[in-house]
Amino acid sequence: MLRGLKAIIGWTEDRSGMIGVVTPIITHRVPRNAKWWYVFGSATLMFFCIQLVSGTLLATLYAPSAADAYQSLVYIDTQVPMGWMLRAIHGWSSNAMVLMVVVHMLQVFLHGAFKFPRELTWMVGVLLLFCTLALAFTGQIMRWDQDAYWGLGIGASIVDRVPVLGNQLRNIMLGGPYIGGATLSRFFALHVFVLPGLTIALVGLHLWLILRNGVSEMPKVGEPVVPATYRRDFEARTERTGVPFFPDAAQRDMVFCGLALIVVVGLAALYGPFGPNGNPDPTVIDANPRPDGAFLWIFAALALLPAQVETFLLLAAPPVIVLLLLAIPLISPRGERAPTRRPVSVLAMLLVCTALAALTWLGVTSPWSPVMDAWTSVPTPVRLVERLTPLQMQGALVMQYQQCRNCHAIDGTGGMRGPDLGDVGSRLSWDQLVRQVQQGGGNMPAYGKTLSAAETVAVVAFLQACRTDGQPPAFIPGALERAASGDLPPVAAPVAAPPAAP
Amino acid sequence: MRLVVSVVPVAIGWGMMLAGCDRIPLEQPAATDAVASWDGLYMTQCAGCHGADGVRGPARPLADPAYLATVSREDLIRVIARGQGTFMPAMGTVAGGTLADAEIERLVDGMRKVWGKEGAALATPWAGAPGSAQAGGAVYASFCQSCHGAPDGRSAGSAGSVTDANYLRLVSDQALRSAVLFGRRDLGGACNGPYDGQPRDRRLSAQDVADVVAFLASRRPESGRSTR
C-alpha cells in the first residue's frame, strides 16, 4: 500500500518536478526572531481563501439581477439550510480581511520592512490593499439594499464631479445615467471575476517577492539598511541563525489563523449576516443608509468636509493618498528600521491611525445624522409635559408632527443634527424663536411656509417652556414687552395675525 | 513542549466558543419580533406623542381605561389608519402611512387588552353632535373657568387657557370633546369631566358636554384655522 503510494508520488515527481520546486519554498530559511509580529499577512491570506470558497458557494445561490438580487438574499437567509451562516461568514470574513490587511500594513510600516530590497513588495501590498477595499465595496453593492443604493449614489456623485469626463465616467460606472439593472451586473462582474482574479495575481506576485527577498528580520537599533551590503549580510545571517519557514514559523501562523477563524465564525454565528436592509428604493426617505465598517471613516470625512473644499478634496485626495502610499519605500529606502529611530514615521502613523479611528467612531455614532423615526418614537420629556398649558401641548405636537425631533434632541433624546432644545427657552427670546422657526438658518430649513400662524405660536410657546427648572425665559430687555411676560404666549401676537381668508 | 504551546490556545478557543453558545443557531433568529409585537409598535409609532407608557405625553393619554372602553375598536382603528384631520397623522398604508391593517389591529387589541378595563366605559358617548354654545358658556363659567381662566383671556388660570384663539385653531371639536370627557388625569388634572371619580354633582351631563364643546368651538376664529 505504502509502497504503491510512494511509487505514484515518485512517478508524478519524476514527470512534473513539483516537489523539487515546492520543498525549498516551504522550507526556506526565515530569521529566527520573526515571531508573532509576522502572522498578520498569513491571516489576511487565509481570510482571502475563505472569501474565495464562501464567495464561490454564494455565487451558486445569488441571482445577480436587479429584480431578483434582494429576494435571492432573503432566500439564502431563510430557505437555504445554513445559507445565512454562509452569508454571515462571507461578510464577517470580509471585514476581518480588511482589518488584517491594515494591521499587516501597519506592522510592516512600523518595522520599516518596506525598505531595500522590499520596496516592490510594499507597492504590490498597497495595490492589494486597494483590491481588498474594492472587493469590500463591490460586495456591499451585491446586497442590493438601501446601503448599496446610497453607497452607489455617493460613489456616482463623486465620479460625476470629475471635470470634463465626469458624465462619461459616471455612465461607465453605473452602466447608464442612473442606478439600475446594468449597475448591478457591472459590479457583479467586478466582484466575482475582475477583482478576485486581480487579487490572486497580485497575491502571487507578493508571495514571489517575499520568497525572492526573504522575510525581514525584526528591526534592531544600530543596524541600518545599507543597500550595498544588505543582501549579502542578510543571507549570511539567515543561513547562520535562520529557521525553516515550515514548520517553525508556519506554526505560529497556523495558531493565529486558527484563533482568528474561531473569532470570525463565532461572530458570524452570533450576529448573523449583514443586511439586506430594506429595498433599494430612493423614494423611501426614512432610510438611514450606512456604509460597511471599512468605509465609515470616508462617510464621516465626507459629512464633515466644508462645502467649499468638497469637490477639490474629493478628487484630489484619493490619487494623493494612493501615490503617497506607493511612494513610501522610495522616499525612505535605506537607513534605520527600528521604530525608536524613526520618530517622524511612527508619529505620522499614530496620527493617521487616530484620525481613522476617530472618523470611524464618528461614522458609527454620526451625531450629524437625523434620527428618522424620532418623531413617532421619542417622547417629549415628562418634566416638560407636566407643566405645559393646552396651547404649549399643541406646540409639542407640532414639534413631533413636523419631525423636528428627527434633528433636535430634547434632554438628550432625538436627533443630534441641530442643538438640543431642552433649555432653548432660556437661550432664545420669543422673537428669536419665532425668527428661527420661520426663517431657519444655520443649516435649519425655514418653516415659515410650512407652519400656520397658530402652529408657529404654539410651537414657540412650547419652545419657550423648554427650560431647566427655575430658569426664567430668555428675553431682550426693552425689546418687546411680551417677552418678559413669562410662559404665557402673547394674547394677540403679530405672527398670530391670521392671514386673510382666501 | 512547542506542540503544547500551539494546541492549547486552539483548544481553549474552541472550548470557550462551544461553551459560550448554548446553541449553534441553525435558523437565523427572526429579528422582526420586537417590532411586530404591539408594544414594539407602540414604542416606535405612538410613544413620540402619546408618551412612553401611554401617559404623560403631549397628546391624549391612551393608557386610559375609560377612553379605551368608550371609543369603539373600529373607531380606534379608523383614527389610527386615517388620522383625524389634526396632528394625529394617518398611520395606515391605506392613507400613505407605514402601518399595515394587521399591525393597526394588533396595536389596538394590545392597548385594549393591557390598558383597558371591562365596564370602564362612560355613559356619554365618545362622539356626538355639538349642543348650544350659549348654554355652554354657562357650563364653562361654572365648571371650567376656575382653572382655565376667563374666556376673554384676561385671567389665564392655573391650567392654562383653552379659549385661546391659537389653541382652538389647532384642535378639532372631537379633540375638545375628548378633553372634556376624559380629562388629563395622567397629569394630575382635576378636570370636571363625566368620568368616574368625580363627585356625582360635579359631573357633566351628556348635554353639558355637547354644550361646552359648542361654546369652545364658537370661540374659534373662522380665519386662520389650521387644517391638516
Side-chain angles (χ1 to χ4, degrees):
Chain A
M1 177 64 196
L2 203 60
R3 191 177 295 173
L5 200 62
K6 265 187 183 163
I8 293 173
I9 293 173
W11 183 90
T12 317
E13 175 58 11
D14 179 64
R15 305 303 188 276
S16 70
M18 283 309 285
I19 296 175
V21 173
V22 171
T23 312
I25 290 178
I26 61 171
T27 59
H28 75 282
R29 295 184 89 75
V30 296
R32 180 181 289 280
N33 59 5
K35 293 214 160 152
W36 290 98
W37 279 102
Y38 287 53
V39 297
F40 305 115
S42 309
T44 311
L45 183 58
M46 175 196 70
F47 284 124
F48 182 56
C49 294
I50 291 175
Q51 291 305 81
L52 287 178
V53 174
S54 59
T56 308
L57 291 174
L58 280 175
T60 63
L61 296 166
Y62 177 72
S65 84
D68 305 325
Y70 189 88
Q71 275 310 315
S72 76
L73 292 185
V74 175
Y75 171 77
I76 295 172
D77 278 353
T78 56
Q79 307 292 318
V80 178
M82 293 300 274
W84 67 271
M85 187 62 181
L86 186 62
R87 281 197 60 232
I89 288 181
H90 197 67
W92 283 98
S93 163
S94 134
N95 281 326
M97 182 175 163
V98 174
L99 182 71
M100 282 301 127
V101 167
V102 172
V103 173
H104 175 53
M105 196 167 174
L106 289 176
Q107 180 266 320
V108 168
F109 182 81
L110 189 67
H111 288 165
F114 56 83
K115 290 177 190 260
F116 178 88
R118 304 186 180 85
E119 299 100 321
L120 201 56
T121 323
W122 168 273
M123 291 181 194
V124 175
V126 170
L127 296 181
L128 279 167
L129 168 75
F130 288 107
C131 279
T132 308
L133 291 177
L135 277 165
F137 182 79
T138 52
Q140 181 188 318
I141 305 301
M142 295 302 103
R143 290 209 298 267
W144 207 242
D145 58 3
Q146 281 169 351
D147 292 350
Y149 184 90
W150 293 109
L152 271 176
I154 291 167
S157 64
I158 292 176
V159 168
D160 218 14
R161 295 189 190 201
V162 174
V164 187
L165 292 175
N167 279 350
Q168 281 79 2
L169 289 177
R170 185 205 55 206
N171 286 358
I172 290 170
M173 174 181 164
L174 298 181
Y178 48 80
I179 299 170
T183 319
L184 181 57
S185 306
R186 221 151 258 242
F187 276 83
F188 181 73
L190 276 178
H191 187 70
V192 305
F193 300 119
V194 179
L195 289 169
L198 193 61
T199 308
I200 291 171
L202 288 172
V203 166
L205 186 56
H206 199 65
L207 291 177
W208 163 249
L209 290 169
I210 293 167
L211 286 173
R212 176 169 164 75
N213 296 314
V215 174
S216 72
E217 299 155 294
M218 283 295 280
K220 263 196 203 134
V221 176
E223 279 185 15
V225 174
V226 184
T229 57
Y230 180 82
R231 276 188 201 275
R232 201 185 56 225
D233 295 348
F234 174 78
E235 273 158 30
R237 274 198 303 272
T238 350
E239 197 54 45
R240 203 169 57 244
T241 62
V243 291
F245 171 73
F246 188 88
D248 288 55
Q251 277 186 105
R252 274 185 291 271
D253 286 348
M254 286 189 269
V255 169
F256 181 77
C257 286
L259 289 176
L261 187 60
I262 288 170
V263 169
V264 162
V265 172
L267 287 172
L270 283 177
Y271 293 101
F274 292 85
N277 310 314
N279 269 310
D281 183 348
T283 63
V284 178
I285 54 154
D286 59 353
N288 190 9
R290 199 136 297 219
D292 282 355
F295 304 102
L296 276 171
W297 67 274
I298 303 180
F299 175 68
L302 292 181
L304 294 173
L305 279 183
Q308 309 87 309
V309 295
E310 209 171 71
T311 303
F312 174 73
L313 282 183
L314 276 177
L315 300 179
V320 168
I321 291 172
V322 174
L323 288 177
L324 196 66
L325 281 175
L326 284 172
I328 282 175
L330 303 181
I331 295 169
S332 171
R334 67 194 76 217
E336 286 279 358
R337 285 180 52 212
T340 47
R341 295 294 172 94
R342 295 161 52 232
V344 175
S345 297
V346 174
L347 285 177
M349 190 187 106
L350 286 178
L351 184 72
V352 169
C353 289
T354 313
L356 287 182
L359 285 172
T360 302
W361 172 246
L362 284 172
V364 173
T365 55
S366 57
W368 57 84
S369 282
V371 178
M372 284 309 206
D373 57 357
W375 70 290
T376 54
S377 66
V378 177
T380 308
V382 169
R383 73 166 180 98
L384 293 174
V385 174
E386 279 176 335
R387 61 178 189 222
L388 295 183
T389 66
L391 177 68
Q392 289 167 340
M393 292 257 198
Q394 293 300 311
L397 291 178
V398 173
M399 278 285 288
Q400 303 291 131
Y401 188 88
Q402 294 293 344
Q403 314 196 352
C404 306
R405 296 295 295 281
N406 290 8
C407 290
H408 285 289
I410 298 181
D411 291 358
T413 53
M416 304 290 250
R417 196 177 177 119
D420 191 310
L421 299 179
D423 60 348
V424 72
S426 43
R427 287 188 282 113
L428 297 181
S429 72
W430 179 278
D431 297 292
Q432 288 171 315
L433 286 168
V434 170
R435 196 214 64 77
Q436 184 64 35
V437 168
Q438 291 201 323
Q439 298 178 11
N443 245 347
M444 173 174 155
Y447 282 84
K449 286 189 176 164
T450 316
L451 297 178
S452 71
E455 286 167 340
T456 308
V457 172
V459 78
V460 169
F462 168 68
L463 290 172
Q464 202 179 36
C466 288
R467 305 192 303 267
T468 45
D469 296 334
Q471 281 280 332
F475 72 102
I476 301 169
L480 280 168
E481 254 179 41
R482 66 162 175 275
S485 68
D487 280 355
L488 283 173
V491 174
V495 291
Chain B
M1 185 58 207
R2 194 171 272 180
L3 189 72
V4 173
V5 170
S6 329
V7 169
V8 164
V10 178
I12 291 175
W14 274 110
M16 272 164 55
M17 195 181 101
L18 292 175
C21 280
D22 50 355
R23 68 198 158 93
I24 296 286
L26 291 173
E27 299 279 321
Q28 190 192 2
T32 49
D33 268 8
V35 176
S37 67
W38 84 269
D39 47 343
L41 281 170
Y42 180 85
M43 284 315 292
T44 54
Q45 304 291 334
C46 319
C49 291
H50 293 283
D53 305 312
V55 289
R56 300 198 289 178
R60 162 134 305 286
L62 295 174
D64 180 345
Y67 182 78
L68 290 174
T70 310
V71 187
S72 72
R73 181 174 181 273
E74 289 65 38
D75 281 334
L76 282 171
I77 290 175
R78 178 178 53 76
V79 169
I80 294 173
R82 298 182 178 277
Q84 274 278 62
T86 58
F87 293 124
M88 173 69 205
M91 307 295 288
T93 47
V94 285
T98 54
L99 292 183
D101 291 351
E103 288 177 306
I104 295 176
E105 285 175 27
R106 193 173 317 154
L107 192 51
V108 168
D109 291 340
M111 285 195 293
R112 284 160 61 96
K113 186 164 165 235
V114 176
W115 290 333
K117 204 167 81 184
E118 274 304 303
L122 304 181
T124 318
W126 170 62
S132 144
Q134 203 171 6
V139 176
Y140 183 87
S142 60
F143 284 92
C144 316
Q145 193 158 326
S146 60
C147 291
H148 288 295
D152 59 9
R154 291 250 169 78
S155 66
S158 59
S161 172
V162 289
T163 49
D164 176 272
N166 289 315
Y167 169 71
L168 290 170
R169 282 186 179 115
L170 297 174
V171 292
S172 63
D173 290 0
Q174 179 59 57
L176 289 170
R177 189 179 164 91
S178 290
V180 174
L181 283 172
F182 306 105
R184 285 303 302 260
R185 277 173 298 171
D186 58 323
L187 296 175
C191 194
N192 289 305
Y195 53 76
D196 291 341
Q198 296 290 348
R200 196 156 286 282
D201 61 324
R202 296 298 294 167
R203 285 190 199 174
L204 299 179
S205 69
Q207 188 58 46
D208 291 341
V209 172
D211 289 346
V212 79
V213 168
F215 166 71
L216 290 171
S218 73
R219 307 279 310 174
R220 180 187 292 129
E222 269 312 302
S223 61
R225 177 156 184 210
S226 190
T227 47
R228 285 277 160 209

